[in-house]
PDB file of all heavy atoms in Angstrom:
ATOM      1  N   THR V   5     -10.525  -9.748 -49.191  1.00 96.00           N
ATOM      2  CA  THR V   5     -11.880 -10.010 -48.726  1.00 96.00           C
ATOM      3  C   THR V   5     -12.331 -11.383 -49.193  1.00 96.00           C
ATOM      4  O   THR V   5     -11.978 -11.834 -50.295  1.00 96.00           O
ATOM      5  CB  THR V   5     -12.872  -8.943 -49.215  1.00 96.00           C
ATOM      6  OG1 THR V   5     -12.856  -8.908 -50.637  1.00 96.00           O
ATOM      7  CG2 THR V   5     -12.489  -7.572 -48.674  1.00 96.00           C
ATOM      8  N   GLN V   6     -13.122 -12.048 -48.339  1.00 97.00           N
ATOM      9  CA  GLN V   6     -13.632 -13.368 -48.654  1.00 97.00           C
ATOM     10  C   GLN V   6     -15.118 -13.434 -48.339  1.00 97.00           C
ATOM     11  O   GLN V   6     -15.594 -12.797 -47.411  1.00 97.00           O
ATOM     12  CB  GLN V   6     -12.897 -14.439 -47.844  1.00 97.00           C
ATOM     13  CG  GLN V   6     -11.437 -14.593 -48.211  1.00 97.00           C
ATOM     14  CD  GLN V   6     -10.789 -15.756 -47.467  1.00 97.00           C
ATOM     15  OE1 GLN V   6      -9.867 -15.585 -46.668  1.00 97.00           O
ATOM     16  NE2 GLN V   6     -11.269 -16.964 -47.756  1.00 97.00           N
ATOM     17  N   SER V   7     -15.825 -14.210 -49.140  1.00 96.00           N
ATOM     18  CA  SER V   7     -17.249 -14.402 -48.874  1.00 96.00           C
ATOM     19  C   SER V   7     -17.641 -15.831 -49.221  1.00 96.00           C
ATOM     20  O   SER V   7     -17.056 -16.454 -50.116  1.00 96.00           O
ATOM     21  CB  SER V   7     -18.085 -13.413 -49.701  1.00 96.00           C
ATOM     22  OG  SER V   7     -17.909 -13.641 -51.088  1.00 96.00           O
ATOM     23  N   PRO V   8     -18.629 -16.375 -48.516  1.00 97.00           N
ATOM     24  CA  PRO V   8     -19.243 -15.807 -47.325  1.00 97.00           C
ATOM     25  C   PRO V   8     -18.328 -15.963 -46.108  1.00 97.00           C
ATOM     26  O   PRO V   8     -17.270 -16.576 -46.198  1.00 97.00           O
ATOM     27  CB  PRO V   8     -20.505 -16.657 -47.173  1.00 97.00           C
ATOM     28  CG  PRO V   8     -20.107 -17.989 -47.707  1.00 97.00           C
ATOM     29  CD  PRO V   8     -19.165 -17.709 -48.849  1.00 97.00           C
ATOM     30  N   THR V   9     -18.756 -15.426 -44.978  1.00 96.00           N
ATOM     31  CA  THR V   9     -17.991 -15.540 -43.740  1.00 96.00           C
ATOM     32  C   THR V   9     -18.138 -16.936 -43.146  1.00 96.00           C
ATOM     33  O   THR V   9     -17.158 -17.534 -42.691  1.00 96.00           O
ATOM     34  CB  THR V   9     -18.456 -14.501 -42.715  1.00 96.00           C
ATOM     35  OG1 THR V   9     -18.385 -13.219 -43.304  1.00 96.00           O
ATOM     36  CG2 THR V   9     -17.594 -14.544 -41.472  1.00 96.00           C
ATOM     37  N   HIS V  10     -19.354 -17.403 -43.140  1.00 96.00           N
ATOM     38  CA  HIS V  10     -19.662 -18.725 -42.615  1.00 96.00           C
ATOM     39  C   HIS V  10     -20.573 -19.446 -43.602  1.00 96.00           C
ATOM     40  O   HIS V  10     -21.340 -18.809 -44.326  1.00 96.00           O
ATOM     41  CB  HIS V  10     -20.375 -18.658 -41.254  1.00 96.00           C
ATOM     42  CG  HIS V  10     -19.562 -18.067 -40.173  1.00 96.00           C
ATOM     43  ND1 HIS V  10     -19.504 -16.706 -39.932  1.00 96.00           N
ATOM     44  CD2 HIS V  10     -18.756 -18.649 -39.242  1.00 96.00           C
ATOM     45  CE1 HIS V  10     -18.714 -16.473 -38.894  1.00 96.00           C
ATOM     46  NE2 HIS V  10     -18.242 -17.626 -38.470  1.00 96.00           N
ATOM     47  N   LEU V  11     -20.492 -20.776 -43.576  1.00 95.00           N
ATOM     48  CA  LEU V  11     -21.283 -21.575 -44.498  1.00 95.00           C
ATOM     49  C   LEU V  11     -21.541 -22.937 -43.869  1.00 95.00           C
ATOM     50  O   LEU V  11     -20.612 -23.541 -43.316  1.00 95.00           O
ATOM     51  CB  LEU V  11     -20.501 -21.741 -45.793  1.00 95.00           C
ATOM     52  CG  LEU V  11     -21.198 -22.018 -47.109  1.00 95.00           C
ATOM     53  CD1 LEU V  11     -22.316 -21.037 -47.368  1.00 95.00           C
ATOM     54  CD2 LEU V  11     -20.171 -21.952 -48.238  1.00 95.00           C
ATOM     55  N   ILE V  12     -22.770 -23.392 -43.946  1.00 97.00           N
ATOM     56  CA  ILE V  12     -23.099 -24.731 -43.462  1.00 97.00           C
ATOM     57  C   ILE V  12     -23.663 -25.536 -44.619  1.00 97.00           C
ATOM     58  O   ILE V  12     -24.608 -25.091 -45.282  1.00 97.00           O
ATOM     59  CB  ILE V  12     -24.114 -24.683 -42.293  1.00 97.00           C
ATOM     60  CG1 ILE V  12     -23.530 -23.902 -41.119  1.00 97.00           C
ATOM     61  CG2 ILE V  12     -24.490 -26.103 -41.856  1.00 97.00           C
ATOM     62  CD1 ILE V  12     -24.504 -23.705 -39.967  1.00 97.00           C
ATOM     63  N   LYS V  13     -23.074 -26.695 -44.863  1.00 97.00           N
ATOM     64  CA  LYS V  13     -23.510 -27.571 -45.957  1.00 97.00           C
ATOM     65  C   LYS V  13     -23.670 -28.988 -45.416  1.00 97.00           C
ATOM     66  O   LYS V  13     -23.208 -29.309 -44.310  1.00 97.00           O
ATOM     67  CB  LYS V  13     -22.472 -27.565 -47.084  1.00 97.00           C
ATOM     68  CG  LYS V  13     -22.346 -26.243 -47.819  1.00 97.00           C
ATOM     69  CD  LYS V  13     -23.508 -26.021 -48.743  1.00 97.00           C
ATOM     70  CE  LYS V  13     -23.305 -24.827 -49.631  1.00 97.00           C
ATOM     71  NZ  LYS V  13     -24.451 -24.647 -50.582  1.00 97.00           N
ATOM     72  N   THR V  14     -24.321 -29.828 -46.205  1.00 97.00           N
ATOM     73  CA  THR V  14     -24.425 -31.231 -45.833  1.00 97.00           C
ATOM     74  C   THR V  14     -23.533 -32.074 -46.740  1.00 97.00           C
ATOM     75  O   THR V  14     -23.156 -31.641 -47.835  1.00 97.00           O
ATOM     76  CB  THR V  14     -25.883 -31.725 -45.908  1.00 97.00           C
ATOM     77  OG1 THR V  14     -26.367 -31.495 -47.236  1.00 97.00           O
ATOM     78  CG2 THR V  14     -26.757 -30.993 -44.916  1.00 97.00           C
ATOM     79  N   ARG V  15     -23.237 -33.260 -46.281  1.00 97.00           N
ATOM     80  CA  ARG V  15     -22.377 -34.164 -47.052  1.00 97.00           C
ATOM     81  C   ARG V  15     -22.932 -34.370 -48.457  1.00 97.00           C
ATOM     82  O   ARG V  15     -24.133 -34.501 -48.653  1.00 97.00           O
ATOM     83  CB  ARG V  15     -22.274 -35.513 -46.348  1.00 97.00           C
ATOM     84  CG  ARG V  15     -21.341 -35.523 -45.168  1.00 97.00           C
ATOM     85  CD  ARG V  15     -21.330 -36.879 -44.511  1.00 97.00           C
ATOM     86  NE  ARG V  15     -22.640 -37.229 -43.959  1.00 97.00           N
ATOM     87  CZ  ARG V  15     -22.924 -38.391 -43.401  1.00 97.00           C
ATOM     88  NH1 ARG V  15     -22.004 -39.337 -43.341  1.00 97.00           N
ATOM     89  NH2 ARG V  15     -24.123 -38.625 -42.910  1.00 97.00           N
ATOM     90  N   GLY V  16     -22.027 -34.377 -49.445  1.00 97.00           N
ATOM     91  CA  GLY V  16     -22.405 -34.601 -50.827  1.00 97.00           C
ATOM     92  C   GLY V  16     -22.710 -33.329 -51.604  1.00 97.00           C
ATOM     93  O   GLY V  16     -22.729 -33.354 -52.843  1.00 97.00           O
ATOM     94  N   GLN V  17     -22.937 -32.227 -50.880  1.00 97.00           N
ATOM     95  CA  GLN V  17     -23.221 -30.976 -51.575  1.00 97.00           C
ATOM     96  C   GLN V  17     -21.946 -30.367 -52.148  1.00 97.00           C
ATOM     97  O   GLN V  17     -20.828 -30.843 -51.919  1.00 97.00           O
ATOM     98  CB  GLN V  17     -23.886 -29.984 -50.612  1.00 97.00           C
ATOM     99  CG  GLN V  17     -25.335 -30.296 -50.312  1.00 97.00           C
ATOM    100  CD  GLN V  17     -26.007 -29.180 -49.530  1.00 97.00           C
ATOM    101  OE1 GLN V  17     -25.479 -28.685 -48.523  1.00 97.00           O
ATOM    102  NE2 GLN V  17     -27.184 -28.771 -49.988  1.00 97.00           N
ATOM    103  N   GLN V  18     -22.142 -29.291 -52.905  1.00 98.00           N
ATOM    104  CA  GLN V  18     -21.047 -28.562 -53.510  1.00 98.00           C
ATOM    105  C   GLN V  18     -21.020 -27.147 -52.924  1.00 98.00           C
ATOM    106  O   GLN V  18     -22.058 -26.617 -52.527  1.00 98.00           O
ATOM    107  CB  GLN V  18     -21.251 -28.513 -55.028  1.00 98.00           C
ATOM    108  CG  GLN V  18     -20.228 -27.693 -55.790  1.00 98.00           C
ATOM    109  CD  GLN V  18     -20.689 -26.268 -56.057  1.00 98.00           C
ATOM    110  OE1 GLN V  18     -21.866 -25.959 -55.985  1.00 98.00           O
ATOM    111  NE2 GLN V  18     -19.743 -25.395 -56.325  1.00 98.00           N
ATOM    112  N   VAL V  19     -19.828 -26.553 -52.858  1.00 98.00           N
ATOM    113  CA  VAL V  19     -19.712 -25.217 -52.295  1.00 98.00           C
ATOM    114  C   VAL V  19     -18.745 -24.377 -53.132  1.00 98.00           C
ATOM    115  O   VAL V  19     -17.794 -24.911 -53.730  1.00 98.00           O
ATOM    116  CB  VAL V  19     -19.220 -25.286 -50.828  1.00 98.00           C
ATOM    117  CG1 VAL V  19     -17.787 -25.797 -50.741  1.00 98.00           C
ATOM    118  CG2 VAL V  19     -19.358 -23.943 -50.135  1.00 98.00           C
ATOM    119  N   THR V  20     -19.034 -23.094 -53.213  1.00 98.00           N
ATOM    120  CA  THR V  20     -18.150 -22.146 -53.901  1.00 98.00           C
ATOM    121  C   THR V  20     -17.777 -21.023 -52.942  1.00 98.00           C
ATOM    122  O   THR V  20     -18.666 -20.384 -52.367  1.00 98.00           O
ATOM    123  CB  THR V  20     -18.817 -21.553 -55.145  1.00 98.00           C
ATOM    124  OG1 THR V  20     -19.103 -22.604 -56.071  1.00 98.00           O
ATOM    125  CG2 THR V  20     -17.897 -20.538 -55.813  1.00 98.00           C
TER     126      THR V  20
END
Side-chain angles (χ1 to χ4, degrees):
Chain V
T5 59
Q6 293 185 243
S7 63
T9 305
H10 296 87
L11 205 51
I12 299 175
K13 293 285 189 178
T14 57
R15 282 178 297 176
Q17 285 189 312
Q18 176 265 342
V19 67
T20 298

